[in-house]
């Protein structure tokens, strides 16, 4: 009985035990599943939080862009649109492109306006964008890319506001409008005699333009020599002071400052060190300047790029720039040598600080070290750079007059050293952003892509770079275009005309010159180069969150300009009315009042090339007369006691504007409208419509 009872008990207990075990296992599995599910939910929630955080970061940056755009609108008389919502703005079409890109970015990042279906990892590149979300380093980069896409064209796009039509501005016209108003300007496909005669560079095919040295393009090609009486300089003649002979004279002043030790580093299979280093400098006494000016060519030297990666140094440079209100420019001052060479200093060449003006002092007086020990570690480098590279520190980055000092100096240096566009690389070693003149650097002087200081840091990091040929360019304010303070007596520099052609050809604008017309036009384009306080400070307008961090300049608003014509609107209205007037010899007048702040540099240059009469108050904008036709007239209005400055008188004379082709007008402010009309009428009637 007991065995049976036990057997029966076991038979009953085992299923219960198994059932309990199954329940326990099921419970364990359930708990595990719930734990895994909970873990998955937490991970999912974390991902959602991360996605929202990133999306909010993007949104914040987009909002910053929105504010920038709205600020711009307020500054350019579009305030009636600046308070509209984005959807309202889209209804009036001002943001057919700008607003559309912002909306696309928001939809891609957040998904709200697309029904929540978009995900961060599904973001597609915006038009012209190089990175998508996962390819961008951070949210800022995505927004920065958008800002860069807009930067070059935002002025034109926003100006094309309501209903896709340009916002009406006093006297405004587009490039297309100008062409339509001047039907006599029939352009031809091939070069005219004027191309090959007075402007041979404009007739060159791209390959020859780029591969030919500046000296070969100019010397013996551009003629005749200058006219007038010498200004009493060391050049002894006008051409020796400001013409092609100046370039030759500067070249002949070559002097060795550091003689090579050892054999020059081989061009093939060069070791990661330099030898046979050499420095030749070209010290000159320019007409109109009491000091010495210099340019140096260094061979087989090491340049230490570490300062550009030194955040403390770059930060201090920018702090000093801001604290002194750009009196202390965005130049780094080196506390120890950054350039090293195996050579022996010649005599006391490096003992005279005055031979190294401006930033040349930082690079050569303070920044160069001659080493005599061939085994020195200081001669070692990480990489070789074979392209002749010219160091330039810009006098500023957003002023046509001061930037032209640097453009001219680069052109002149290339002529002195017999360099061509294709075999020269420009190193913009200051900490400035590109600014509005990037096109000149990249097109006219960009056979090898120019590098800003930030680009140099990105390319080389903190490496030491061996340069086959490193050139220290001419200090900006030492430019022979601007150094003369008194009125010049010299007229018609073929070198200045060649510079003008070189820039026009570099930007491929030769088709817009008078030399590209089938015959000289009878229409006379009058261009009012106004000065208006309509733009924000360039530090804010062109900041790029590199060395120029935008948040550091957000406090800057409209830049208040001096020498502004007080009755500007009345001047514009009066000159506009003159278009219907009758002029002698069948001449017709076309008037344009273009705000150059709203144009790309290419469109500025196009307008310059078509302009026959430029009128405006003394200011940097008058530098644009360099690119006007040979027959053109410059009228400079000296308002607010600005008549002491002779910059544009001299530049106009050297460009060939002799006699009444340069007309200085001292005037009260507000200006006398009738007087202005008479001056413009005389200028239009004086244009020789039989010449280009």
């Amino acid at each position: 009985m007991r065995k049976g009872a036990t057997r029966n008990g076991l038979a009953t207990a085992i299923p219960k035990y198994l059932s309990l075990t199954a329940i326990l296992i099921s419970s364990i599995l359930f708990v595990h599943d719930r734990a895994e599910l909970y873990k998955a939910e937490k991970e999912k929630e974390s991902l959602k939080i991360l996605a929202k955080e990133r999306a909010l970061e993007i949104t914040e940056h987009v909002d910053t862009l929105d504010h920038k755009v709205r600020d711009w609108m307020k500054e350019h008389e579009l305030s009636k649109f600046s308070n509209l919502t984005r959807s309202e703005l889209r209804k009036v079409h001002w943001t057919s492109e700008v607003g559309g890109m912002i909306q696309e970015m928001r939809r891609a990042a957040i998904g709200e306006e697309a029904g929540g279906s978009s995900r961060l990892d599904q973001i597609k590149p915006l038009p012209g964008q190089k990175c998508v979300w996962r390819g961008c380093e951070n949210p800022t980069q995505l927004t920065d890319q958008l800002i860069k896409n807009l930067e070059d064209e935002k002025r034109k796009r926003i100006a094309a506001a309501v209903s896709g039509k340009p916002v009406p501005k006093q006297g405004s016209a587009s490039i297309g409008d100008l062409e339509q108003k001047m039907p006599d300007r029939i352009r031809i496909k091939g070069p005219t005699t004027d191309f090959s005669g007075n402007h041979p560079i404009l007739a060159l095919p791209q390959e020859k333009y780029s591969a030919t040295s500046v000296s070969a393009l100019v010397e013996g090609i551009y003629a005749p020599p200058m006219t007038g009486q010498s200004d009493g300089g060391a050049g002894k003649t006008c051409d020796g002071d400001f013409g092609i002979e100046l370039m030759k004279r500067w070249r002949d002043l070559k002097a060795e400052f550091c003689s090579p030790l050892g054999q020059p580093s081989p061009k093939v299979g060069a070791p990661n060190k330099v030898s046979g280093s050499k420095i030749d400098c070209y010290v000159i006494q320019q007409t109109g300047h009491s000091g010495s000016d210099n340019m140096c060519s260094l061979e087989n030297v090491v340049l230490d790029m570490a300062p550009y990666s030194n955040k403390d140094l770059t930060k201090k440079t920018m702090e000093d720039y801001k604290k002194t209100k750009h009196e202390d420019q965005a130049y780094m001052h080196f506390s120890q040598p950054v350039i090293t060479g195996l050579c022996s200093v010649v005599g006391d060449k490096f003992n005279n600080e005055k031979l190294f003006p401006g930033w040349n002092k930082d690079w050569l007086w303070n920044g160069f070290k001659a080493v005599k020990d061939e085994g020195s570690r200081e001669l070692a480098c990480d990489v070789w750079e074979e392209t002749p590279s010219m160091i330039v520190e810009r006098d500023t980055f957003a002023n046509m007059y001061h930037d032209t000092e640097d453009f001219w100096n680069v052109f002149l240096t290339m002529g002195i050293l017999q360099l061509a566009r294709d075999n020269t690389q420009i190193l913009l070693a200051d900490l400035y952003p590109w600014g509005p003149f990037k096109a000149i650097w990249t097109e006219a002087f960009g056979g090898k892509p120019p590098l800003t200081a930030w680009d140099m840091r990105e390319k080389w990091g903190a490496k030491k770079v061996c340069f086959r040929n490193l050139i220290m360019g001419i200090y900006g304010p030492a430019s022979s275009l601007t150094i003369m303070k008194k009125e010049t007596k010299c007229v018609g520099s073929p070198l200045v005309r060649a510079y003008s052609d070189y820039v026009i050809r570099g930007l491929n604008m030769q088709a817009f010159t008078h030399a590209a017309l089938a015959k000289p036009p009878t229409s006379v384009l009058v261009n009012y180069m106004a000065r208006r306080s309509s733009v924000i400070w360039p530090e804010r307008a062109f900041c790029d969150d590199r060395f120029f961090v935008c948040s550091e300049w957000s406090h800057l608003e409209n830049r208040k300009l001096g020498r502004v014509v007080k009755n500007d609107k009345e001047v514009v209205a009066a000159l506009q009315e003159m278009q219907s007037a009758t002029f002698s010899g069948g001449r017709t007048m076309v008037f344009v009042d273009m705000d150059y702040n709203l144009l790309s540099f290419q469109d500025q240059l196009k307008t310059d090339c078509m302009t026959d009469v430029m009128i405006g108050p003394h200011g940097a904008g008058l530098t644009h007369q360099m690119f006007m036709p040979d027959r053109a007239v410059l009228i400079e209005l000296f308002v607010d006691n600005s008549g002491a400055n002779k910059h544009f008188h001299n530049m106009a004379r050297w460009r060939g504007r002799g006699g009444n082709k340069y007309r200085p007008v001292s005037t009260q402010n507000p200006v006398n409208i009738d007087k202005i009309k008479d001056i413009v009428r005389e200028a239009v009637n004086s244009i020789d419509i039989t010449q280009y």
Side-chain angles (χ1 to χ4, degrees), residues 275-437:
S275 62
S277 307
K278 183 181 181 183
I279 299 181
D280 292 322
C281 289
Y282 303 72
V283 181
I284 193 172
Q285 180 86 45
Q286 290 195 86
T287 302
H289 190 204
S290 57
S292 297
D293 299 310
N294 197 0
M295 178 271 296
C296 295
S297 177
L298 295 72
E299 297 178 13
N300 299 312
V301 294
V302 180
L303 174 56
D304 186 357
M305 294 292 179
Y308 290 101
S309 296
N310 184 333
K311 292 184 179 180
D312 291 336
L313 180 57
T314 56
K315 182 179 179 182
K316 183 182 184 308
T317 301
M318 294 310 304
E319 286 175 347
D320 291 345
Y321 176 86
K322 185 176 181 180
K323 182 172 62 177
T324 63
K325 297 183 178 179
H326 69 69
E327 285 298 319
D328 193 352
Q329 292 183 298
Y331 304 160
M332 289 195 295
H333 306 298
F334 308 119
S335 58
Q336 57 187 16
V338 291
I339 301 175
T340 310
L342 183 66
C343 61
S344 176
V345 173
V346 177
D348 61 351
K349 296 293 188 182
F350 279 90
N351 292 341
N352 188 351
E353 181 180 351
K354 293 181 179 179
L355 296 181
F356 305 98
W359 52 262
N360 281 253
K361 178 182 175 182
D362 291 323
W363 289 94
L364 290 176
W365 174 258
N366 295 329
F368 173 70
K369 181 178 181 180
V371 175
K372 295 184 178 181
D373 179 8
E374 196 168 354
S376 173
R377 290 185 177 181
E378 293 176 285
L379 300 172
C381 63
D382 302 295
V383 63
W384 272 92
E385 177 57 61
E386 297 291 344
T387 303
S389 302
M390 188 189 308
I391 287 180
V392 175
E393 295 203 1
R394 291 166 288 177
D395 194 30
T396 182
F397 68 96
N399 180 289
M400 184 62 180
Y401 172 81
H402 290 289
D403 280 274
T404 293
E405 294 175 335
D406 295 311
F407 305 145
W408 169 264
N409 286 348
V410 169
F411 175 76
L412 183 58
T413 301
M414 291 172 68
I416 295 167
L417 298 180
Q418 300 174 307
L419 297 172
R421 176 180 179 273
D422 272 358
N423 69 346
T424 307
Q425 182 168 62
I426 306 300
L427 304 179
L428 300 176
D430 54 71
L431 302 190
Y432 291 123
W434 272 114
F437 306 120

Side-chain angles (χ1 to χ4, degrees), residues 571-604:
V571 172
V572 171
L575 295 180
Q576 252 183 336
E577 289 177 3
M578 288 183 66
Q579 294 180 103
S580 59
T582 302
F583 296 89
S584 64
R587 295 172 180 81
T588 58
M589 173 180 157
V590 176
F591 174 67
V592 61
D593 168 34
M594 283 201 176
D595 189 340
Y596 271 41
N597 293 309
L598 306 183
L599 301 179
S600 67
F601 186 75
Q602 288 90 334
D603 280 348
Q604 293 176 26

Side-chain angles (χ1 to χ4, degrees), residues 152 400 407 436-440 503 507 509 596 599-608 624 627:
D152 292 338
M400 184 62 180
F407 305 145
F437 306 120
K438 182 178 180 180
I440 290 189
V503 172
L507 275 77
M509 295 295 164
Y596 271 41
L599 301 179
S600 67
F601 186 75
Q602 288 90 334
D603 280 348
Q604 293 176 26
L605 194 57
K606 287 178 186 177
T607 309
D608 298 339
H624 283 275
F627 308 110

Side-chain angles (χ1 to χ4, degrees), residues 609-654:
C609 290
M610 293 188 286
T611 295
D612 295 295
V613 177
M614 180 178 288
I615 178 172
H618 175 85
L622 298 187
T623 311
H624 283 275
Q625 65 85 22
M626 296 280 286
F627 308 110
M628 295 195 302
D630 295 341
R631 73 182 196 175
V633 171
L634 174 64
I635 302 171
E636 182 174 12
L637 303 178
F638 289 118
V639 298
D640 302 337
N641 301 312
S642 55
N645 298 302
K646 306 302 178 186
H647 315 312
F648 303 111
H649 167 278
N650 294 343
M651 292 171 70
R653 293 300 191 215
W654 296 331

Side-chain angles (χ1 to χ4, degrees), residues 68 72 147-148 151-152 154-155 394 397-399 431-438 535-550 553 556 596-599 604:
K68 286 186 177 183
W72 193 95
I147 293 173
K148 287 174 187 173
E151 190 62 36
D152 292 338
K154 69 180 179 182
R155 295 174 175 86
R394 291 166 288 177
F397 68 96
N399 180 289
L431 302 190
Y432 291 123
W434 272 114
F437 306 120
K438 182 178 180 180
V535 293
I536 57 177
W537 281 85
E539 286 81 358
R540 180 178 173 186
F542 298 102
C543 64
D544 54 9
D545 279 334
R546 293 181 169 185
F547 296 121
F548 269 67
V549 179
C550 292
W553 310 102
L556 295 177
Y596 271 41
N597 293 309
L598 306 183
L599 301 179
Q604 293 176 26

